[in-house]
Amino acid sequence: ASNLDDGPNHGMPLGGFGAARAQQATTPQPPYLQNPVIPEFKVLLPDSSHWFSKADLKKGRAVMFMAFNPDCEHCQKQADIIVANNTGELSKLQIVMTTYQDMGKMRSFMRDHKLAGHPNITVGRDVGYFFGPFFNMHYSPFLAFYDKQGRLAKVYEGGAQADKLKSTVDGL
């Protein structure tokens, strides 16, 4: 059993959905469930010259990864929910937002959703296409929460409303 909370699966499909779901019973667990700790990762920061990786995460702080598509309306709404609620316990969470889309779209998304003004939010481009296969994502936004010890705590595919975000963070 996974921590997956599909909810209404209202996010944007990432492609190959039907085949992946049909084979789900016979395929092994995705990597994030096989080794449920923060993975080694590397994303390119918006300046296009610096990288952010697991080594850059602050020790002893919970982490949320959000994989998004800048063109996805649900991803845009999720970013707005995060920014509007980035206070209290949520502001102590390290948030790493990643996209495989080009830098121009990523920078526009950052600007449109006012992400740059939040020191606990890092946005980067997943140039190696790591997060999609690692999390076996079918819908975006995709949220993965890790506790202060770096262990997987909760996953939401298709996003989460403010109350779910807050209760998840409270439990980390």
Side-chain angles (χ1 to χ4, degrees):
S2 78
N3 289 327
L4 187 64
D5 179 358
D6 281 336
N9 278 334
H10 62 275
M12 184 174 194
L14 294 175
F17 172 72
R21 287 288 180 172
Q23 295 173 1
Q24 197 169 30
T26 59
T27 57
Q29 287 186 320
Y32 80 98
L33 291 174
Q34 291 176 26
N35 188 17
V37 295
I38 295 175
E40 295 294 331
F41 70 92
K42 183 169 77 168
V43 294
L44 186 60
L45 294 175
D47 65 8
S48 295
S49 61
H50 293 94
W51 295 88
F52 186 87
S53 69
K54 180 178 178 178
D56 296 307
L57 293 171
K58 294 180 176 80
K59 304 292 183 242
R61 286 184 65 186
V63 177
M64 181 189 82
F65 290 100
M66 176 178 156
F68 70 96
N69 180 333
D71 297 324
C72 163
E73 288 182 28
H74 290 94
C75 298
Q76 295 165 12
K77 289 176 185 173
Q78 187 70 65
D80 292 339
I81 288 169
I82 290 168
V83 168
N85 291 279
N86 196 20
T87 59
E89 289 301 309
L90 196 59
S91 68
K92 296 176 188 169
L93 185 67
Q94 294 180 88
I95 300 171
V96 180
M97 301 176 81
T98 69
T99 183
Y100 60 87
Q101 295 289 332
D102 67 61
M103 281 293 194
K105 286 185 177 189
M106 184 182 84
R107 288 184 193 117
S108 294
F109 187 89
M110 288 178 63
R111 182 193 62 244
D112 294 347
H113 302 284
K114 300 170 181 60
L115 299 173
H118 299 272
N120 65 316
I121 299 175
T122 301
V123 182
R125 183 164 183 259
D126 181 13
V127 297
Y129 300 96
F130 169 76
F131 287 97
F134 180 78
F135 286 115
N136 193 30
M137 296 185 312
H138 301 289
Y139 288 96
S140 61
F142 186 95
L143 309 175
F145 291 84
Y146 289 83
D147 66 17
K148 294 174 184 174
Q149 291 76 40
R151 295 181 306 240
L152 181 67
K154 188 75 176 169
V155 170
Y156 296 104
E157 190 166 9
Q161 293 299 319
D163 59 336
K164 278 192 175 183
L165 285 178
K166 289 177 183 179
S167 65
T168 301
V169 171
D170 287 344
L172 298 177

